[in-house]
Amino acid sequence: MDLSCKSIYNNLDDIVKGNTIDISECTFIHPWVVIYICQLLIERHTFRDKGIILPEKNETLEYLKRIHFDKALKYLGYDKECKELETKVVNERENHNVQELLYCQFRDYFNARLDRFFRMFSNFGLEENQARLVVALVGELGNNVYDHNSGNWPTDIGGCFISGQNYPKNGCMEFVIGDPGIGFLGSLKTNYPYLEDDISAIKLGLSGKTGRVDEKRGNGLKFIQNWTLNKFSGSILIHSGSGQVYVDEKGTENKIAPKITGTIIQIMLNYTG
Amino acid sequence: MKLEMKKFGLILNSRPAGREAVLRVKQIANGTTDNELIFDFTGVEVLTPSFADEFFTGVKNEYKDKKIVIENYSKNTVIEDVLRGLGLI
């Protein structure tokens, strides 16, 4: 079972078995899916019967170890599965194009890592100004997580998970950031009470209106969209609540998706090294 | 009066950091009789829209009688884009 940002939705019935997440049949796992699974684990982390069945295929298990998925499991209280993954030994230097899964509970953790991202993107082969743009993109996405959720996290898990991968043969890179927060609708509804669904809220955010109550500002997501489309011919995929919006140079597509707590945003960037 | 933005950090990110920087500007520029405040971006790597919005909105509100000048940003695509996008240059 290959799990990508598209196929995960078709396979959810096989993966989500009550409070157990079963990815035993998984043979390929996309960064988007890693973050999606983190969201599913967060939603279930207080249940006694929670669990995750890890992939049987050795390569997939090694990939999860390589991105330090075991640390996420440990933090979220999946101790048994964490120990199972911890026993795997992989060479940390084997793949420079894989970004380890990062958890930033607070804004300071996130900000402290931006410098590291800058060096990492430069190592991916991005030229200086491109690396700066990607850091600004990531920085702005992280800002939104904390600006819109601080003090208002729906569960006792706050912050964001970040995952990424470079695909040098295709000259593109993927960056995914997920947070178990109140989502676009939860944040914007107070300032725009007419909003009725997640898709409308995401679209409003993309139009540049992300200001909260008593704020005239909010252009961050518009910058993110402009940079992604115009500087990198890339795409943005946003899943928030039960809405999903995909934006690329051709236009916007939206659909209803299975409800999640919070938001996942994927940025795909094409670059010339 | 000239302020070197790199002294606030090389990656200028987040609204709280922008607000904090405005408070620092008030300390540094306290009592200045210069007619203009010059913000020099030499050495800064990244400027995010959140920081820029918070910082320049705060500075403009604080120094309505002074001319705000921004310089040495043109070699950096991010800084130039952000400043232009916010209508600051």
Side-chain angles (χ1 to χ4, degrees), chain A residues 218-242:
Chain A
N219 270 314
L221 208 50
K222 202 173 175 182
F223 272 99
I224 290 169
Q225 188 177 206
N226 287 342
W227 281 333
T228 303
L229 302 188
N230 301 329
K231 304 278 186 190
F232 292 98
S233 302
S235 63
I236 304 174
L237 177 62
I238 302 174
H239 182 170
S240 184
S242 56

Side-chain angles (χ1 to χ4, degrees), chain A residues 111 132 140 143 217 227, chain B residues 13 15 45 50 53 77 81:
Chain A
N111 281 336
R132 287 170 174 155
E140 201 55 38
N143 285 336
R217 303 179 291 258
W227 281 333
Chain B
N13 179 48
R15 290 189 181 278
E45 293 287 355
S50 294
D53 186 29
T77 310
D81 263 26

Side-chain angles (χ1 to χ4, degrees), chain A residues 107 110-111 114-116 118 128-129 131-137 139-140 143-144 147 212 215 217-220 223 227 231, chain B residues 11 13-17 19 44-51 53-54 57 74-79 81-86:
Chain A
R107 189 194 292 271
F110 176 79
N111 281 336
L114 283 177
D115 182 54
R116 182 173 151 197
F118 185 55
E128 198 175 34
N129 267 324
R132 287 170 174 155
L133 270 170
V134 183
V135 173
L137 269 170
E140 201 55 38
N143 285 336
N144 286 342
D147 286 349
R212 294 153 290 174
E215 265 191 349
R217 303 179 291 258
N219 270 314
F223 272 99
W227 281 333
K231 304 278 186 190
Chain B
I11 296 177
N13 179 48
S14 90
R15 290 189 181 278
R19 278 197 289 275
V44 175
E45 293 287 355
V46 176
L47 171 72
T48 63
S50 294
F51 182 98
D53 186 29
E54 202 71 37
T57 302
S74 60
K75 287 180 185 168
N76 189 312
T77 310
V78 177
I79 299 175
D81 263 26
V82 169
L83 295 174
R84 205 173 294 286
L86 295 174

Side-chain angles (χ1 to χ4, degrees), chain A residues 162-210:
Chain A
I162 302 168
S163 181
Q165 190 151 341
N166 182 34
Y167 305 95
K169 284 183 185 168
N170 300 329
C172 72
M173 59 170 291
E174 174 184 6
F175 209 83
V176 185
I177 183 164
D179 70 79
I182 55 175
F184 277 71
L185 185 61
S187 180
L188 296 180
K189 182 98 177 161
T190 44
N191 211 13
Y192 304 94
Y194 61 85
L195 284 172
E196 287 184 350
D197 58 75
D198 292 294
I199 291 174
S200 309
I202 297 169
K203 284 184 162 180
L204 188 72
L206 285 167
S207 74
K209 289 179 183 172
T210 51

